[in-house]
Amino acid sequence: MPYFDAASAAPLHPVARQALLASLDEGWADPARLYREGRRARLLLDAAREAAADAVGCRADELVFTPSGTRAVHSGIAGALAGRRRAGRHLIVSSVEHSSVLHSAEVFEAEGGTVTRVPVRRTGAVTAEAYEDALRADTALACLQSANHEVGTEQPVAAVAEVCRAAGVPLLVDAAQSLGWGPVEGPWSLLTASAHKWGGPSGVGLLVVRKGVRFAVRGPADERESGRAAGFENLPAIVAAAASLRAVRAEAAAEAARLRELTRRIRARVPELVPDVEVVGDPERRLPGTVTFSCLYVDGETLLHELDRAGFSVSSGSSCTSSTLTPSHVLRAMGVLSEGNVRVSLPPGTAEEDVERFLALLPGTVAGVREKLGAPAPVADVRQDVRDDVLVVDALGRRCPIPVIELAKVIGDVPVGGTVRVLSDDEAARLDIPAWCAMREQEYVGEEPADRGSAYLVRRLV
């Protein structure tokens, strides 16, 4: 069964498995003890730290192991903000950061800090100029991911790091998605990563704090990992994480070239094979194995289930694949279509034949989901407002992608220049109706309040 969700968790690398099993026998003792078993465990821990630091491009005494990448982010942001509290109480993040960063920002705001969320272009990338404009005299810390976890877009980290260094502000880089492919360039100050993203075991994160960066540990003090990661080290998992990072780096150049060709094929052929599709993310500055697209008139959850039944494991940022009605914050910040969203993230070793089978299967799967959601669906309440020559579509209580489906059904019923007024209380409509207009060459007039939900106005141009 082809697994196409490496951006969530990469399959365990064979080297990680070997190192994990070997270190279970050799690395079970407390590395802080001076007896023989403890010394042996300390040697393994030190070797793992040296290997990880070499891959990151930092000093070994700048790197600590944490229980997860999320914990590394939370500790890194909290410690850097606390260390620079005299500089100010202002934090900068991009609008497409991983939820661990955004949750840390929310906590900081709740404690009285201020946060600037830098917008992104439609490709999902920030600009160094936008970060420069966000900097203030009281900025304590800036954060930027190296590459986006949902659409694969690489960020201009080196340029942003230069801007921050010139202003005397440390930059924390979330390198979870990219570290397995290579080191992060530029004069960054802090870095976080997570082993299960590159084929290491889960439960191991990295936190790097460069020498000279002011950092104050939050929470109870602990003598382990320089006081920055409390608790007994999971030494077998740490050894496996470091060994697999070294292994994937040795394979990275060749595998990246191969996966880039496969994802280029997906990006080019999906719009040819499936009508009404928007491929999102930067077409060039992107992770090697990640490609994301959204399909009009498709329920993302149903599409993922159908692909799973056909033997393909993929992910999605659609609001209809989660317990909430809010679209992915990444897709929303980019201003792209969210309904029917599919993220394909190929792990190293993906076979070309599996990609071809996916491309052969996808058109029929999407068509089947569209048929289920289209014809059998109850007809929405459509009425003509003769005073304003406006056709009203009442899609209140109908969830994505039904409001857009009903809009598409009736747009031909108004004359060119006429208006359709879509009533919806689904948050996804705020993103998907303008996206539909852009894809179908109709004019999105805007949004206005309604008795329930919102009214979205669309003028027919063609």
Side-chain angles (χ1 to χ4, degrees), residues 59-206:
R59 294 170 39 156
D61 59 355
E62 294 174 331
L63 184 149
V64 299
F65 295 104
T66 64
S68 68
T70 294
R71 182 66 62 84
V73 167
H74 291 170
S75 299
I77 292 177
L81 288 171
R84 282 179 46 83
R85 58 188 177 276
R86 292 183 180 178
R89 297 276 288 162
H90 177 233
L91 170 66
I92 301 173
V93 300
S94 84
S95 57
V96 295
E97 294 297 312
H98 188 268
S99 58
S100 60
V101 174
L102 299 182
H103 291 162
S104 291
E106 291 168 0
V107 170
F108 182 60
E109 278 185 311
E111 294 174 346
T114 58
V115 178
T116 297
R117 295 168 177 83
V118 176
V120 296
R121 295 173 171 173
R122 194 171 177 84
T123 61
V126 302
T127 65
E129 292 76 15
Y131 264 73
E132 187 171 24
D133 291 343
L135 289 167
R136 305 186 329 202
D138 63 339
T139 302
L141 177 68
C143 300
L144 180 63
Q145 59 191 192
S146 56
N148 186 259
H149 50 292
E150 288 195 23
V151 300
T153 297
E154 293 179 338
Q155 300 289 1
V157 172
V160 171
E162 290 287 358
V163 165
C164 291
R165 181 171 69 171
V169 173
L171 175 70
L172 182 147
V173 179
D174 172 13
Q177 292 294 330
S178 72
L179 192 61
W181 298 110
V184 177
E185 303 297 331
W188 47 266
S189 301
L190 303 97
L191 180 142
T192 64
S194 187
H196 73 277
K197 302 292 188 179
W198 67 66
S202 59
V204 179
L206 303 181

Side-chain angles (χ1 to χ4, degrees), residues 380-381 393-399 402-404 406 421-426:
D381 178 14
V393 175
D394 186 350
L396 292 168
R398 313 290 297 282
R399 300 308 174 200
I402 300 302
V404 178
E406 299 299 344
R421 190 170 186 260
V422 183
L423 303 177
S424 177
D425 52 3
D426 185 1

Side-chain angles (χ1 to χ4, degrees), residues 338-362:
S338 74
E339 66 185 44
N341 180 260
V342 174
R343 180 187 67 183
V344 174
S345 49
L346 308 177
T350 297
E352 180 180 357
E353 308 86 78
D354 288 339
V355 171
E356 287 298 327
R357 285 201 302 115
F358 175 78
L359 290 171
L361 175 80
L362 185 66

Side-chain angles (χ1 to χ4, degrees), residues 189-363:
S189 301
L190 303 97
L191 180 142
T192 64
S194 187
H196 73 277
K197 302 292 188 179
W198 67 66
S202 59
V204 179
L206 303 181
L207 170 60
V208 179
V209 182
R210 294 284 202 192
K211 293 296 181 182
V213 175
R214 292 188 176 276
F215 192 92
V217 176
R218 307 297 289 167
D222 193 289
E223 70 276 7
R224 299 180 186 272
E225 294 301 299
S226 305
R228 294 172 181 167
F232 197 98
E233 297 92 343
N234 185 350
L235 189 52
I238 287 171
V239 170
S244 58
L245 181 55
R246 175 177 286 177
V248 298
R249 280 292 190 81
E251 305 160 354
E255 192 61 22
R258 199 179 70 84
L259 291 184
R260 284 189 191 281
E261 178 54 38
L262 292 177
T263 53
R264 285 193 193 100
R265 190 179 307 180
I266 297 172
R267 287 182 65 86
R269 290 182 56 190
V270 164
E272 296 173 355
L273 297 169
V274 182
D276 297 315
V277 163
E278 182 179 13
V279 181
V280 302
D282 194 291
E284 299 297 332
R285 289 183 52 85
R286 59 185 306 99
L287 293 168
T290 303
V291 57
T292 306
F293 54 89
S294 299
C295 308
L296 274 174
Y297 320 133
V298 168
D299 172 0
E301 185 171 8
T302 302
L303 179 56
L304 263 60
H305 284 321
E306 291 299 318
L307 290 171
D308 180 55
R309 289 176 59 189
F312 289 91
S313 303
V314 300
S315 186
S316 174
S318 289
S319 60
C320 22
T321 62
S322 67
S323 59
T324 71
L325 300 178
T326 304
S328 150
H329 71 277
V330 172
L331 301 178
R332 187 169 65 247
M334 294 169 63
V336 298
L337 184 69
S338 74
E339 66 185 44
N341 180 260
V342 174
R343 180 187 67 183
V344 174
S345 49
L346 308 177
T350 297
E352 180 180 357
E353 308 86 78
D354 288 339
V355 171
E356 287 298 327
R357 285 201 302 115
F358 175 78
L359 290 171
L361 175 80
L362 185 66

